[in-house]
Amino acid sequence: MASSISLTEKFSSKSKSKSANLSEFINILSELTKFRITFFVSVTTFVGFILQSKEISFDFIYPALAVLVLASGASALNEYQERYSDSRMKRTSNRPIPSGRLSETNALYIALSLIFIGSLMMLAQTVEVFVLGVFTLFWYNLIYTPLKKITSFAIIPGSLVGAMPPIIGWAAAGGNIFDNQILSFASFMFIWQIPHFWLLVLLYDDQYKQAKFPTLSDKFNNKQIVWITFFWIVVLLFSSSLFIFSELSVSYLSNILLAIFSLATFVYSLNLLSIRKKDIFRKTFLAINAYVLFVLITVSVENLI
């Protein structure tokens, strides 16, 4: 009887150990690939597909999944590239590589494997989709990532990375990538990333300095950085109003909703100019992200009706 209990306990212990190891691996993989960001990237690919196809079908799954895999590989490669910088920042020091939970070699292997698989998936879609995907990978890992070490304005050319996924989705649905509708939407996604990033700089400027990244505070004082960030928020809000001219948003209801939400975001963002505290930076960061999510939902629903 005692022997039976002992065997049961050992089996239970091994099962728990395997479950814990699997859970830890999933957590490491999620952090290495920046899953929350790459999942959102696949969502914008889905939106681009909808804007062209005007319907929801299972056809969107493949390009969105291909972008998710390729973006995951690019993000993992980015963490490998910035492993030493990450170790100097409190915000990133617990990432898999600097924390020692994953070796540099294994991280690189995972990154290259995901990039290879994602590239093949895109090539299986169309050559155009493949070229757009590889271009985005190249721009992110070989242009933007090194440029961050050189200039505090790297985010401006770097924002092209976030503008590409909806274009890929549009192309996957058979659309012309130079169409005004998708260029209008991609421009909106491009602009959003600039105040999004500079609000992070306002929050973590000292950590970026510790990691030896050039920041806006090297050139401007805090008040000037706030004004620059606010300017880009206004540009972001204005860019969504241009949807009506590209016929991306044509219904009276959706235009009214966009106008109301834009005005509300603008009024809230005015707090930046008078308060200039980290709590306001964080709340404004969340506010403009919520605004972008609202715009994505609004234009998607309108193009499906």
Side-chain angles (χ1 to χ4, degrees):
M1 182 70 178
S3 176
S4 176
I5 294 174
S6 178
L7 287 172
T8 302
E9 288 176 345
K10 286 182 180 180
F11 179 78
S12 177
S13 177
K14 286 182 179 179
S15 297
K16 289 179 180 179
S17 178
K18 287 182 180 179
S19 177
N21 289 338
L22 178 61
S23 177
E24 176 63 12
F25 175 74
I26 291 173
N27 286 335
I28 289 173
L29 192 61
S30 176
E31 292 175 35
L32 181 69
T33 60
K34 303 178 184 177
F35 181 74
R36 286 182 296 180
I37 296 174
T38 53
F39 177 76
F40 181 73
V41 165
S42 69
V43 169
T44 63
T45 305
F46 164 64
V47 172
F49 190 95
I50 283 180
L51 294 180
Q52 165 59 27
S53 66
K54 311 295 183 185
E55 63 179 6
I56 292 181
S57 68
F58 289 112
D59 292 338
F60 85 87
I61 296 176
Y62 188 85
L65 183 60
V67 167
L68 176 63
V69 174
L70 186 63
S72 294
S75 295
L77 181 57
N78 170 262
E79 289 208 4
Y80 174 82
Q81 291 173 288
E82 297 187 336
R83 59 196 183 280
Y84 301 125
S85 300
D86 283 347
S87 66
R88 301 188 188 105
M89 295 176 65
K90 182 180 179 181
R91 187 172 69 91
T92 56
S93 61
N94 197 44
R95 283 177 173 174
I97 303 175
S99 67
R101 290 179 293 146
L102 184 68
S103 71
E104 295 179 8
T105 302
N106 286 339
L108 183 60
Y109 175 78
I110 291 171
L112 295 178
S113 297
L114 289 171
I115 288 171
F116 179 72
I117 294 169
S119 298
L120 286 181
M121 291 176 70
M122 288 194 159
L123 185 59
Q125 182 81 41
T126 66
V127 173
E128 183 181 35
V129 168
F130 171 75
V131 170
L132 291 171
V134 171
F135 170 79
T136 307
L137 171 74
F138 170 84
W139 198 264
Y140 179 49
N141 294 107
L142 299 182
I143 301 296
Y144 173 55
T145 297
L147 201 59
K148 287 165 66 177
K149 287 284 190 179
I150 300 171
T151 174
S152 55
F153 295 101
I155 186 60
I156 297 178
S159 291
L160 182 61
V161 174
M164 293 303 296
I167 295 177
I168 293 172
W170 178 276
N176 180 350
I177 63 172
F178 298 106
D179 188 282
N180 286 336
Q181 286 191 338
I182 192 58
L183 290 180
S184 173
F185 183 75
S187 296
F188 172 79
M189 297 303 298
F190 174 93
I191 294 168
W192 160 62
Q193 291 169 94
I194 299 171
H196 171 94
F197 178 76
W198 281 341
L199 282 166
L200 285 176
V201 171
L202 285 166
L203 282 167
Y204 303 108
D205 181 72
D206 56 336
Q207 293 188 39
Y208 280 104
K209 286 183 181 300
Q210 288 175 5
K212 302 188 184 304
F213 284 113
T215 71
L216 287 181
S217 63
D218 296 331
K219 302 178 183 295
F220 307 103
N221 61 39
N222 189 268
K223 182 178 180 180
Q224 290 171 323
I225 297 172
V226 166
W227 272 101
I228 292 170
T229 305
F230 178 74
F231 166 78
W232 280 102
I233 292 174
V234 173
V235 173
L236 172 69
L237 301 177
F238 178 74
S239 68
S240 66
S241 69
L242 299 179
F243 288 173
I244 189 171
F245 299 105
S246 64
E247 298 184 349
L248 193 62
S249 176
V250 293
S251 76
Y252 179 77
L253 178 60
S254 63
N255 286 327
I256 290 296
L257 288 174
L258 284 173
I260 292 173
F261 213 87
S262 296
L263 180 60
T265 306
F266 172 78
V267 172
Y268 187 83
S269 298
L270 287 171
N271 288 318
L272 282 173
L273 305 180
S274 57
I275 300 176
R276 295 200 293 273
K277 291 184 178 179
K278 287 196 173 184
D279 185 51
I280 292 300
F281 300 156
R282 185 173 290 103
K283 288 179 179 178
T284 306
F285 175 83
L286 295 174
I288 66 168
N289 289 346
Y291 173 73
V292 168
L293 183 60
F294 175 81
V295 171
L296 261 64
I297 293 172
T298 301
V299 296
S300 296
V301 170
E302 179 178 358
N303 280 271
L304 287 173
I305 296 176

